[in-house]
Amino acid sequence: MSKDTLSIIDNRTGKAYEIPVSQGAINAMDLRQIKTSADDFGLMSYDPAFANTASCKSAITFIDGDKGILRYRGYPIEQLAERSSFLEVAYLIVKGELPERSHLEAFVSNIIHHTILHENIKQFIDGFHYDAHPMGILVSSVAALSTFYPDAKKIFDIASRKLQTHRLVAKMPTLAAFAYRHSVGMAYAYPDNDLSYTGNFLNMLFKKTELKYRPNPVLERALDILFILHADHEQNCSTNAMRSVGSSQVDPFSAVAAATAALYGPLHGGANEQAIRMLTEIGSVQNVPAYIKRVKAGEIRLQGFGHRVYKNYDPRAKIIKRIADEVFDVTGKNPLIDIARELERIALADDYFVAHRLYPNVDFYSGIIYQAMGFPLDMFPVLFAIGRTPGWIAQWQEMLLDPETRIARPRQIYIGAGPRDYVVPSR
Ligand code: CMC
């Protein structure tokens, strides 16, 4: 008879233990009973990058990295990208179900009516140096929003959480657009409530002297899809930051600032910027084989390739690759796409990449589209942050309402000096 337990024999003591297995996992706290003596702390597991540790139970996003499957609340990413809109997906992710039409209309209306920022935020952004990275501005200004909304501290009040959700989803694009306009020295463009969420974002970014900005519908839809593809990705670095910082019961603006900071790093949200730099450095299709050689020699990494979870083609990369041509029909072709396609072709047939199970990830093609649409490289992680905001909020809320949640506080294995007495160092 098979049993849902794990039998462990501790060879240090000869003792046997039986530990329950539930949903493919043991509870790490069950290891604590395994001791060599009464005053032993108990066995811990060592997992520095959480590579094999489930930090939570979640009902939001499902990924099968071996098969290349991504679903939000059970819905395949391909269907959502094809048929849904970013705000509908945001509703789905945060609330758990697709909205009825009236609920979606109310949600969209709430978002539209929260896009305006307090005027003081403009002065705050004005204080940044002219060439400040927009991601640095976004991290700081979303944190600053917490000081404008002290009611956001009421994290266990459902009405307050709903209001902060509307504010965050609505104001992230406005902050992002203001950060961009500041970095290029243009007057801030205010939200236009007649436009869609994504159309209005394009308006706040690119409006010049025209009385009314009219977004190109192909680019508007492409960006909306890109936001959908970035909306959540289970326990990635920034989401882990959101949950970890949020577990201290800080307000959601501060927690989103922490998540945004995590996203700023080149191994996370900064990878699409790195991918463009890499393709630019390669320069032409002929140079691809020599570049691959350097990657295989361990000199450099292929940016936009590889993933902690996907050991197959990232399903988001497939969708992005498909919409690239629609965007290029409007913007003209980004010549880097040819280098990217050649890089992918050679890499996917190469033993090193096959053996390491390295495939293009979401960042491999997204930057090429962003660049064709006129976004400077600095803005790429900012776009990622806008898309990821509903995911952060949903994960934060799920964490708060989980009865098993306690403040995130990992253990360590101390490897430093033993006790020693202080002596004034000779100087
Ligand atoms: N190019 C060449 N070799 C690679 C790459 C790459 N992009 N990624 C991993 N490897 C190799 C690595 O050298 C190692 O080889 P070996 O076992 O022979 O030493 C093996 O694959 C495992 O690498 P790892 O660093 O242990 O894998 P990880 O799961 O810790 O890292 C990663 C995941 C995404 C940080 C990494 O693949 C990487 O640095 N990729 C490039 C940056 C990138 O595209 N990041 C975007 C991630 S997707 C968007 C997001 O979630 O934010």
Side-chain angles (χ1 to χ4, degrees):
M1 266 286 271
S2 74
K3 281 204 310 187
D4 286 335
T5 61
L6 177 72
S7 294
I8 299 176
I9 295 176
D10 185 349
N11 294 320
R12 299 171 301 174
T13 59
K15 280 195 197 156
Y17 301 84
E18 190 170 345
I19 288 179
V21 175
S22 172
Q23 295 169 304
I26 59 162
N27 192 328
M29 281 304 283
D30 284 341
L31 298 176
R32 279 281 193 82
Q33 60 185 297
I34 303 177
K35 298 182 177 203
T36 51
S37 61
D39 60 353
D40 181 4
F41 180 77
L43 197 67
M44 294 190 295
S45 60
Y46 175 61
D47 190 6
F50 303 127
N52 195 37
T53 294
S55 62
C56 62
K57 292 177 183 156
S58 181
I60 301 170
T61 289
F62 173 81
I63 301 175
D64 183 327
D66 283 330
K67 297 198 180 110
I69 292 173
L70 169 61
R71 296 184 203 125
Y72 299 155
R73 302 282 189 187
Y75 294 100
I77 190 67
E78 294 79 5
Q79 291 179 22
L80 294 171
E82 175 82 28
R83 301 175 55 189
S84 188
S85 66
F86 175 62
L87 285 188
E88 187 180 45
V89 168
Y91 185 104
L92 169 71
I93 286 180
V94 173
K95 302 214 176 205
E97 294 297 335
L98 283 169
E100 288 171 17
R101 181 199 276 252
S102 62
H103 291 175
L104 179 62
E105 282 169 3
F107 184 69
V108 171
S109 164
N110 271 320
I111 300 293
I112 284 176
H113 288 96
H114 281 99
T115 47
I116 293 272
L117 297 172
H118 192 288
E119 282 294 291
N120 286 4
I121 282 282
K122 287 195 330 199
Q123 291 160 30
F124 181 73
I125 293 177
D126 281 341
F128 283 91
H129 206 45
Y130 72 94
D131 61 353
H133 196 294
M135 198 63 174
I137 300 181
L138 186 65
V139 170
S140 321
S141 55
V142 73
L145 284 188
S146 73
T147 66
F148 291 87
Y149 303 114
D151 58 314
K153 289 189 185 356
K154 291 187 276 175
I155 54 172
F156 292 109
D157 175 332
I158 184 170
S160 172
R161 279 203 309 274
K162 193 171 165 188
L163 178 59
Q164 313 321 326
T165 300
H166 295 152
R167 284 177 172 155
L168 272 160
V169 174
K171 292 181 201 301
M172 284 293 270
T174 317
L175 290 174
F178 281 20
Y180 168 71
R181 304 278 286 206
H182 176 75
S183 68
V184 291
M186 286 172 81
Y188 304 121
Y190 279 68
D192 179 345
N193 289 358
D194 293 342
L195 298 174
S196 72
Y197 181 82
T198 306
N200 173 49
F201 178 52
L202 290 168
N203 158 66
M204 293 188 291
L205 286 164
F206 298 130
K207 184 172 192 279
K208 294 199 176 104
T209 52
E210 64 272 45
L211 286 178
K212 181 109 187 142
Y213 179 86
R214 301 209 182 277
N216 179 293
V218 174
L219 303 188
E220 185 181 356
R221 178 65 189 148
L223 192 55
D224 208 62
I225 293 173
L226 283 155
F227 286 156
I228 292 173
L229 300 183
H230 286 88
D232 194 51
H233 213 232
E234 49 126 298
Q235 305 313 313
N236 55 87
C237 180
S238 58
T239 300
N240 183 56
M242 181 83 194
R243 279 181 176 259
S244 181
V245 172
S247 75
S248 75
Q249 303 191 350
V250 73
D251 69 88
F253 295 97
S254 302
V256 165
T260 310
L263 190 65
Y264 197 174
L267 294 188
H268 191 10
N272 49 13
E273 179 177 343
Q274 297 306 324
I276 291 290
R277 289 192 198 285
M278 172 190 75
L279 295 171
T280 310
E281 184 194 332
I282 296 173
S284 80
V285 169
Q286 291 86 310
N287 298 337
V288 169
Y291 199 84
I292 297 262
K293 236 187 199 167
R294 289 178 60 205
V295 174
K296 287 168 66 177
E299 277 177 51
I300 38 175
R301 282 195 171 197
L302 214 50
Q303 296 301 320
F305 253 71
H307 199 275
R308 171 63 57 80
V309 179
Y310 292 119
K311 301 301 169 195
N312 199 326
Y313 212 105
D314 182 337
R316 301 168 299 173
K318 264 190 204 155
I319 297 167
I320 297 178
K321 197 175 164 189
R322 255 201 321 270
I323 59 176
D325 286 327
E326 291 166 30
V327 170
F328 297 156
D329 283 345
V330 177
T331 61
K333 186 167 143 187
N334 184 339
L336 296 183
I337 190 83
D338 292 333
I339 303 173
R341 283 181 178 146
E342 180 67 357
L343 206 53
E344 179 189 325
R345 190 186 67 76
I346 297 185
L348 294 190
D350 188 287
D351 286 349
Y352 174 91
F353 294 89
V354 173
H356 286 79
R357 304 182 73 191
L358 298 169
Y359 293 85
N361 61 48
V362 68
D363 292 318
F364 193 63
Y365 287 108
S366 60
I368 300 177
I369 299 189
Y370 292 149
Q371 197 180 43
M373 290 172 79
F375 290 106
L377 298 196
D378 282 358
M379 280 298 284
F380 294 1
V382 173
L383 300 170
F384 193 154
I386 295 172
R388 185 55 53 89
T389 299
W392 289 333
I393 294 168
Q395 300 268 355
W396 164 76
Q397 181 160 268
E398 187 177 59
M399 177 272 305
L400 285 179
L401 300 181
D402 184 342
E404 287 193 284
T405 292
R406 293 160 75 197
I407 188 166
R409 204 314 185 175
R411 292 279 170 183
Q412 65 165 9
I413 298 173
Y414 178 69
I415 55 164
R420 40 186 171 167
D421 290 324
Y422 177 78
V423 259
V424 178
S426 53
R427 296 192 175 103

